[in-house]
Amino acid sequence: MPERRVMTVGMVCVDIINYVVRFPDEDTDVGSNSPLEVPGGLGNRCLDQQWCRGGNASNSATVLSLLGANAEFFGSIPQGDLTSFFEEDFRRDRVHVDRCPRLAARTPTSCVIVSAASGTRTIVHSNSDLPELPADALRRLPLREYDWIHFEGRNIANVNKMVEYVRAEREKNPELKLTISVELEKANRPELDTLFSLGEVVFISKDVAMSKGFTDMESAVRGLKARTLPGSVLICPWGELGAAACLADGSVVTSEAHRPPSVVDTVGAGDTFIAACIWRLRRGDPVNRALRTACVVAGTKVGVKGFRPLPQLLKDSGLLHE
Ligand code: FRU
């Protein structure tokens, strides 16, 4: 049997990433980047612009593949002007998409502003008519070919049903050795809370933790652990402070963050963290080691544009072969 696949379930879109000196003022259309005009420029002209494939699940699949995993993305792929862009980009990163539904729809896009001055990324997203995966989407897939399925926290009602199906199949077929993980990223969406009890590994963002009243990562994972399944692990990355996890026995482990020489591009840093965690947990590493690796990989990503420089940088630092 070929090497098992790790599958990420969620969205793919086009990210139009505008790298600017600083976040522009509202309702302005002025300025070059000339320091003669205003020191540092006004932020209305891009230092650089890139059109890339984005979406949490799509990004995590990319990073998993770059780290050497047999990765698959599963989500609706829009059929239209940009179909070949998606197909070629996935192919270039060796991410399988052969089982995705292809649907006639407008391409979902994110207009992203990455500010050099503040290191922030601001995302304005649009999806006009690309349907989410239906609840029965996984029924057509050969589950024995996977050992890990990760669900992005969206399309909640259907994700609940998909996870229910995978669990039921696992119970019926003990030879299915499949781990389920889920991500809760967007804050103030109460419907996301059902996801807490869906995965053996649950990732929550700093935003979600803060929206629930927590001000530090350790109390967040400790305080929210009771919402997860017995035996599961709850993981929370916390930007420049690192990451924490609450293990099945209630103990908490943490890792420091990894600082790149400079913050260049934070788009997809969280998706990278998740991918690197899964990469290490999947091969049986203990959670504290997986956290450390994930902080290094995510920190390394923040120092470069996009994901593709990662394998070389991680190889140079020795992490890829640790
Ligand atoms: C980054 C990202 C982008 C995408 C946006 C969707 O985490 O997945 O690639 O445009 O978030 O919310």
Side-chain angles (χ1 to χ4, degrees), residues 11 13-15 53-57 59 109-110 112 121 123 125 152 154 185-186 267-271:
M11 184 193 58
C13 64
V14 171
D15 284 353
R53 176 168 54 79
N56 292 14
N59 292 338
T109 54
S110 287
V112 186
R121 93 286 182 254
I123 303 178
H125 183 70
E152 178 185 333
R154 55 183 303 108
E185 188 206 28
K186 308 268 188 293
V267 183
D271 310 331

PDB file of all heavy atoms in Angstrom, residues 11 13-15 53-57 59 109-110 112 121 123 125 152 154 185-186 267-271, ligand 1:
ATOM      1  N   MET A  11     -11.051  25.263   2.739  1.00  0.00           N
ATOM      2  CA  MET A  11     -11.244  26.175   1.606  1.00  0.00           C
ATOM      3  C   MET A  11      -9.957  26.446   0.835  1.00  0.00           C
ATOM      4  O   MET A  11      -8.867  26.465   1.402  1.00  0.00           O
ATOM      5  CB  MET A  11     -11.756  27.511   2.137  1.00  0.00           C
ATOM      6  CG  MET A  11     -12.075  28.479   1.030  1.00  0.00           C
ATOM      7  SD  MET A  11     -12.314  30.162   1.609  1.00  0.00           S
ATOM      8  CE  MET A  11     -10.808  30.539   2.416  1.00  0.00           C
ATOM      9  N   CYS A  13      -8.658  29.530  -1.976  1.00  0.00           N
ATOM     10  CA  CYS A  13      -9.028  30.810  -2.600  1.00  0.00           C
ATOM     11  C   CYS A  13      -7.764  31.422  -3.203  1.00  0.00           C
ATOM     12  O   CYS A  13      -6.687  30.848  -3.094  1.00  0.00           O
ATOM     13  CB  CYS A  13      -9.632  31.767  -1.568  1.00  0.00           C
ATOM     14  SG  CYS A  13      -8.505  32.278  -0.275  1.00  0.00           S
ATOM     15  N   VAL A  14      -7.938  32.554  -3.857  1.00  0.00           N
ATOM     16  CA  VAL A  14      -6.759  33.291  -4.337  1.00  0.00           C
ATOM     17  C   VAL A  14      -6.476  34.405  -3.342  1.00  0.00           C
ATOM     18  O   VAL A  14      -7.381  35.157  -2.985  1.00  0.00           O
ATOM     19  CB  VAL A  14      -6.998  33.898  -5.734  1.00  0.00           C
ATOM     20  CG1 VAL A  14      -5.861  34.838  -6.105  1.00  0.00           C
ATOM     21  CG2 VAL A  14      -7.118  32.807  -6.775  1.00  0.00           C
ATOM     22  N   ASP A  15      -5.250  34.481  -2.884  1.00  0.00           N
ATOM     23  CA  ASP A  15      -4.824  35.592  -2.020  1.00  0.00           C
ATOM     24  C   ASP A  15      -4.089  36.611  -2.883  1.00  0.00           C
ATOM     25  O   ASP A  15      -3.100  36.269  -3.544  1.00  0.00           O
ATOM     26  CB  ASP A  15      -3.841  35.103  -0.945  1.00  0.00           C
ATOM     27  CG  ASP A  15      -4.528  34.350   0.188  1.00  0.00           C
ATOM     28  OD1 ASP A  15      -5.773  34.316   0.220  1.00  0.00           O
ATOM     29  OD2 ASP A  15      -3.798  33.807   1.034  1.00  0.00           O
ATOM     30  N   ARG A  53      -2.141  30.973  -4.051  1.00  0.00           N
ATOM     31  CA  ARG A  53      -3.209  30.109  -3.559  1.00  0.00           C
ATOM     32  C   ARG A  53      -3.264  30.248  -2.041  1.00  0.00           C
ATOM     33  O   ARG A  53      -2.228  30.196  -1.380  1.00  0.00           O
ATOM     34  CB  ARG A  53      -2.886  28.677  -3.980  1.00  0.00           C
ATOM     35  CG  ARG A  53      -3.813  27.633  -3.477  1.00  0.00           C
ATOM     36  CD  ARG A  53      -3.556  26.312  -4.194  1.00  0.00           C
ATOM     37  NE  ARG A  53      -2.182  25.866  -4.126  1.00  0.00           N
ATOM     38  CZ  ARG A  53      -1.634  25.262  -3.076  1.00  0.00           C
ATOM     39  NH1 ARG A  53      -2.339  25.046  -1.995  1.00  0.00           N
ATOM     40  NH2 ARG A  53      -0.376  24.875  -3.111  1.00  0.00           N
ATOM     41  N   GLY A  54      -4.468  30.458  -1.487  1.00  0.00           N
ATOM     42  CA  GLY A  54      -4.604  30.601  -0.036  1.00  0.00           C
ATOM     43  C   GLY A  54      -5.766  29.804   0.501  1.00  0.00           C
ATOM     44  O   GLY A  54      -6.333  28.950  -0.195  1.00  0.00           O
ATOM     45  N   GLY A  55      -6.135  30.104   1.734  1.00  0.00           N
ATOM     46  CA  GLY A  55      -7.172  29.321   2.433  1.00  0.00           C
ATOM     47  C   GLY A  55      -6.471  28.455   3.466  1.00  0.00           C
ATOM     48  O   GLY A  55      -5.426  27.870   3.169  1.00  0.00           O
ATOM     49  N   ASN A  56      -7.043  28.377   4.664  1.00  0.00           N
ATOM     50  CA  ASN A  56      -6.340  27.680   5.750  1.00  0.00           C
ATOM     51  C   ASN A  56      -5.968  26.240   5.404  1.00  0.00           C
ATOM     52  O   ASN A  56      -4.813  25.834   5.561  1.00  0.00           O
ATOM     53  CB  ASN A  56      -7.213  27.646   7.018  1.00  0.00           C
ATOM     54  CG  ASN A  56      -7.394  29.033   7.612  1.00  0.00           C
ATOM     55  OD1 ASN A  56      -7.093  30.036   6.968  1.00  0.00           O
ATOM     56  ND2 ASN A  56      -7.900  29.091   8.829  1.00  0.00           N
ATOM     57  N   ALA A  57      -6.964  25.466   4.945  1.00  0.00           N
ATOM     58  CA  ALA A  57      -6.694  24.047   4.685  1.00  0.00           C
ATOM     59  C   ALA A  57      -5.721  23.892   3.517  1.00  0.00           C
ATOM     60  O   ALA A  57      -4.834  23.031   3.533  1.00  0.00           O
ATOM     61  CB  ALA A  57      -7.996  23.312   4.389  1.00  0.00           C
ATOM     62  N   ASN A  59      -3.400  26.057   2.640  1.00  0.00           N
ATOM     63  CA  ASN A  59      -2.061  26.420   3.122  1.00  0.00           C
ATOM     64  C   ASN A  59      -1.446  25.302   3.970  1.00  0.00           C
ATOM     65  O   ASN A  59      -0.263  24.977   3.825  1.00  0.00           O
ATOM     66  CB  ASN A  59      -2.127  27.694   3.981  1.00  0.00           C
ATOM     67  CG  ASN A  59      -2.477  28.927   3.176  1.00  0.00           C
ATOM     68  OD1 ASN A  59      -2.285  28.964   1.968  1.00  0.00           O
ATOM     69  ND2 ASN A  59      -2.994  29.953   3.837  1.00  0.00           N
ATOM     70  N   THR A 109     -11.784  35.119  -3.226  1.00  0.00           N
ATOM     71  CA  THR A 109     -10.506  35.842  -3.147  1.00  0.00           C
ATOM     72  C   THR A 109     -10.348  36.481  -1.767  1.00  0.00           C
ATOM     73  O   THR A 109     -11.320  36.781  -1.098  1.00  0.00           O
ATOM     74  CB  THR A 109     -10.445  37.008  -4.163  1.00  0.00           C
ATOM     75  OG1 THR A 109     -11.585  37.835  -3.960  1.00  0.00           O
ATOM     76  CG2 THR A 109     -10.390  36.537  -5.588  1.00  0.00           C
ATOM     77  N   SER A 110      -9.101  36.690  -1.412  1.00  0.00           N
ATOM     78  CA  SER A 110      -8.789  37.491  -0.226  1.00  0.00           C
ATOM     79  C   SER A 110      -7.851  38.596  -0.664  1.00  0.00           C
ATOM     80  O   SER A 110      -6.815  38.324  -1.282  1.00  0.00           O
ATOM     81  CB  SER A 110      -8.074  36.652   0.833  1.00  0.00           C
ATOM     82  OG  SER A 110      -8.958  35.765   1.451  1.00  0.00           O
ATOM     83  N   VAL A 112      -5.287  41.031   0.696  1.00  0.00           N
ATOM     84  CA  VAL A 112      -4.519  41.038   1.939  1.00  0.00           C
ATOM     85  C   VAL A 112      -3.561  42.219   1.933  1.00  0.00           C
ATOM     86  O   VAL A 112      -2.913  42.488   0.911  1.00  0.00           O
ATOM     87  CB  VAL A 112      -3.709  39.721   2.084  1.00  0.00           C
ATOM     88  CG1 VAL A 112      -3.031  39.661   3.447  1.00  0.00           C
ATOM     89  CG2 VAL A 112      -4.597  38.506   1.869  1.00  0.00           C
ATOM     90  N   ARG A 121      -1.164  41.480   9.141  1.00  0.00           N
ATOM     91  CA  ARG A 121      -1.796  41.135   7.865  1.00  0.00           C
ATOM     92  C   ARG A 121      -3.292  41.355   8.049  1.00  0.00           C
ATOM     93  O   ARG A 121      -3.888  40.896   9.021  1.00  0.00           O
ATOM     94  CB  ARG A 121      -1.417  39.722   7.409  1.00  0.00           C
ATOM     95  CG  ARG A 121      -2.317  38.582   7.796  1.00  0.00           C
ATOM     96  CD  ARG A 121      -2.204  38.192   9.252  1.00  0.00           C
ATOM     97  NE  ARG A 121      -3.053  37.052   9.597  1.00  0.00           N
ATOM     98  CZ  ARG A 121      -4.165  37.177  10.298  1.00  0.00           C
ATOM     99  NH1 ARG A 121      -4.584  38.335  10.733  1.00  0.00           N
ATOM    100  NH2 ARG A 121      -4.884  36.103  10.586  1.00  0.00           N
ATOM    101  N   ILE A 123      -6.997  40.987   6.267  1.00  0.00           N
ATOM    102  CA  ILE A 123      -7.572  40.178   5.183  1.00  0.00           C
ATOM    103  C   ILE A 123      -9.024  40.578   4.939  1.00  0.00           C
ATOM    104  O   ILE A 123      -9.838  40.604   5.870  1.00  0.00           O
ATOM    105  CB  ILE A 123      -7.514  38.678   5.543  1.00  0.00           C
ATOM    106  CG1 ILE A 123      -6.063  38.259   5.831  1.00  0.00           C
ATOM    107  CG2 ILE A 123      -8.112  37.823   4.443  1.00  0.00           C
ATOM    108  CD1 ILE A 123      -5.890  36.803   6.251  1.00  0.00           C
ATOM    109  N   HIS A 125     -12.052  39.188   2.774  1.00  0.00           N
ATOM    110  CA  HIS A 125     -12.337  37.963   2.012  1.00  0.00           C
ATOM    111  C   HIS A 125     -13.670  38.062   1.284  1.00  0.00           C
ATOM    112  O   HIS A 125     -14.602  38.702   1.748  1.00  0.00           O
ATOM    113  CB  HIS A 125     -12.368  36.771   2.977  1.00  0.00           C
ATOM    114  CG  HIS A 125     -12.579  35.467   2.283  1.00  0.00           C
ATOM    115  ND1 HIS A 125     -11.615  34.896   1.486  1.00  0.00           N
ATOM    116  CD2 HIS A 125     -13.649  34.639   2.255  1.00  0.00           C
ATOM    117  CE1 HIS A 125     -12.090  33.759   0.999  1.00  0.00           C
ATOM    118  NE2 HIS A 125     -13.315  33.582   1.435  1.00  0.00           N
ATOM    119  N   GLU A 152     -10.663  22.333   8.879  1.00  0.00           N
ATOM    120  CA  GLU A 152     -10.667  23.773   9.149  1.00  0.00           C
ATOM    121  C   GLU A 152     -12.033  24.122   9.747  1.00  0.00           C
ATOM    122  O   GLU A 152     -13.052  23.583   9.322  1.00  0.00           O
ATOM    123  CB  GLU A 152     -10.456  24.455   7.788  1.00  0.00           C
ATOM    124  CG  GLU A 152     -10.468  25.932   7.793  1.00  0.00           C
ATOM    125  CD  GLU A 152     -10.377  26.493   6.354  1.00  0.00           C
ATOM    126  OE1 GLU A 152      -9.825  25.837   5.440  1.00  0.00           O
ATOM    127  OE2 GLU A 152     -10.889  27.605   6.156  1.00  0.00           O
ATOM    128  N   ARG A 154     -14.932  25.739   9.607  1.00  0.00           N
ATOM    129  CA  ARG A 154     -15.906  26.469   8.794  1.00  0.00           C
ATOM    130  C   ARG A 154     -16.972  25.448   8.390  1.00  0.00           C
ATOM    131  O   ARG A 154     -16.803  24.261   8.660  1.00  0.00           O
ATOM    132  CB  ARG A 154     -15.225  27.062   7.560  1.00  0.00           C
ATOM    133  CG  ARG A 154     -14.492  26.009   6.733  1.00  0.00           C
ATOM    134  CD  ARG A 154     -13.746  26.560   5.545  1.00  0.00           C
ATOM    135  NE  ARG A 154     -14.619  27.282   4.684  1.00  0.00           N
ATOM    136  CZ  ARG A 154     -14.614  28.623   4.552  1.00  0.00           C
ATOM    137  NH1 ARG A 154     -13.743  29.332   5.205  1.00  0.00           N
ATOM    138  NH2 ARG A 154     -15.457  29.224   3.744  1.00  0.00           N
ATOM    139  N   GLU A 185     -10.578  28.921  14.531  1.00  0.00           N
ATOM    140  CA  GLU A 185      -9.739  30.100  14.315  1.00  0.00           C
ATOM    141  C   GLU A 185     -10.471  31.427  14.516  1.00  0.00           C
ATOM    142  O   GLU A 185      -9.931  32.377  15.051  1.00  0.00           O
ATOM    143  CB  GLU A 185      -9.143  30.060  12.893  1.00  0.00           C
ATOM    144  CG  GLU A 185      -8.117  31.143  12.681  1.00  0.00           C
ATOM    145  CD  GLU A 185      -7.961  31.547  11.229  1.00  0.00           C
ATOM    146  OE1 GLU A 185      -8.926  31.433  10.458  1.00  0.00           O
ATOM    147  OE2 GLU A 185      -6.862  31.978  10.878  1.00  0.00           O
ATOM    148  N   LYS A 186     -11.703  31.496  14.011  1.00  0.00           N
ATOM    149  CA  LYS A 186     -12.402  32.783  14.020  1.00  0.00           C
ATOM    150  C   LYS A 186     -13.099  33.018  15.358  1.00  0.00           C
ATOM    151  O   LYS A 186     -13.813  32.140  15.853  1.00  0.00           O
ATOM    152  CB  LYS A 186     -13.451  32.837  12.898  1.00  0.00           C
ATOM    153  CG  LYS A 186     -12.892  32.476  11.523  1.00  0.00           C
ATOM    154  CD  LYS A 186     -12.426  33.697  10.769  1.00  0.00           C
ATOM    155  CE  LYS A 186     -12.043  33.406   9.329  1.00  0.00           C
ATOM    156  NZ  LYS A 186     -10.870  32.585   9.088  1.00  0.00           N
ATOM    157  N   VAL A 267       1.043  36.019   6.693  1.00  0.00           N
ATOM    158  CA  VAL A 267      -0.135  35.348   6.098  1.00  0.00           C
ATOM    159  C   VAL A 267       0.087  33.829   6.147  1.00  0.00           C
ATOM    160  O   VAL A 267       1.062  33.328   5.587  1.00  0.00           O
ATOM    161  CB  VAL A 267      -0.358  35.774   4.633  1.00  0.00           C
ATOM    162  CG1 VAL A 267      -1.623  35.118   4.075  1.00  0.00           C
ATOM    163  CG2 VAL A 267      -0.432  37.278   4.512  1.00  0.00           C
ATOM    164  N   GLY A 268      -0.800  33.141   6.823  1.00  0.00           N
ATOM    165  CA  GLY A 268      -0.699  31.680   6.867  1.00  0.00           C
ATOM    166  C   GLY A 268       0.239  31.175   7.956  1.00  0.00           C
ATOM    167  O   GLY A 268       0.559  29.978   7.987  1.00  0.00           O
ATOM    168  N   ALA A 269       0.655  32.035   8.888  1.00  0.00           N
ATOM    169  CA  ALA A 269       1.550  31.571   9.955  1.00  0.00           C
ATOM    170  C   ALA A 269       0.842  30.519  10.822  1.00  0.00           C
ATOM    171  O   ALA A 269       1.431  29.500  11.194  1.00  0.00           O
ATOM    172  CB  ALA A 269       2.011  32.748  10.810  1.00  0.00           C
ATOM    173  N   GLY A 270      -0.439  30.784  11.123  1.00  0.00           N
ATOM    174  CA  GLY A 270      -1.206  29.826  11.932  1.00  0.00           C
ATOM    175  C   GLY A 270      -1.397  28.503  11.192  1.00  0.00           C
ATOM    176  O   GLY A 270      -1.320  27.424  11.785  1.00  0.00           O
ATOM    177  N   ASP A 271      -1.626  28.585   9.901  1.00  0.00           N
ATOM    178  CA  ASP A 271      -1.803  27.363   9.095  1.00  0.00           C
ATOM    179  C   ASP A 271      -0.498  26.559   9.068  1.00  0.00           C
ATOM    180  O   ASP A 271      -0.500  25.321   9.055  1.00  0.00           O
ATOM    181  CB  ASP A 271      -2.211  27.724   7.656  1.00  0.00           C
ATOM    182  CG  ASP A 271      -3.375  28.712   7.618  1.00  0.00           C
ATOM    183  OD1 ASP A 271      -4.192  28.696   8.553  1.00  0.00           O
ATOM    184  OD2 ASP A 271      -3.452  29.513   6.657  1.00  0.00           O
TER     185      ASP A 271
HETATM  186  C1  FRU B   1      -4.447  32.662   5.969  1.00  0.00           C
HETATM  187  C2  FRU B   1      -5.648  32.482   5.095  1.00  0.00           C
HETATM  188  C3  FRU B   1      -5.473  33.112   3.730  1.00  0.00           C
HETATM  189  C4  FRU B   1      -6.905  33.267   3.317  1.00  0.00           C
HETATM  190  C5  FRU B   1      -7.598  33.631   4.613  1.00  0.00           C
HETATM  191  C6  FRU B   1      -8.982  33.104   4.734  1.00  0.00           C
HETATM  192  O1  FRU B   1      -4.607  31.966   7.181  1.00  0.00           O
HETATM  193  O2  FRU B   1      -5.971  31.118   4.929  1.00  0.00           O
HETATM  194  O3  FRU B   1      -4.684  32.346   2.857  1.00  0.00           O
HETATM  195  O4  FRU B   1      -7.082  34.229   2.373  1.00  0.00           O
HETATM  196  O5  FRU B   1      -6.786  33.119   5.650  1.00  0.00           O
HETATM  197  O6  FRU B   1      -9.570  33.451   5.965  1.00  0.00           O
END
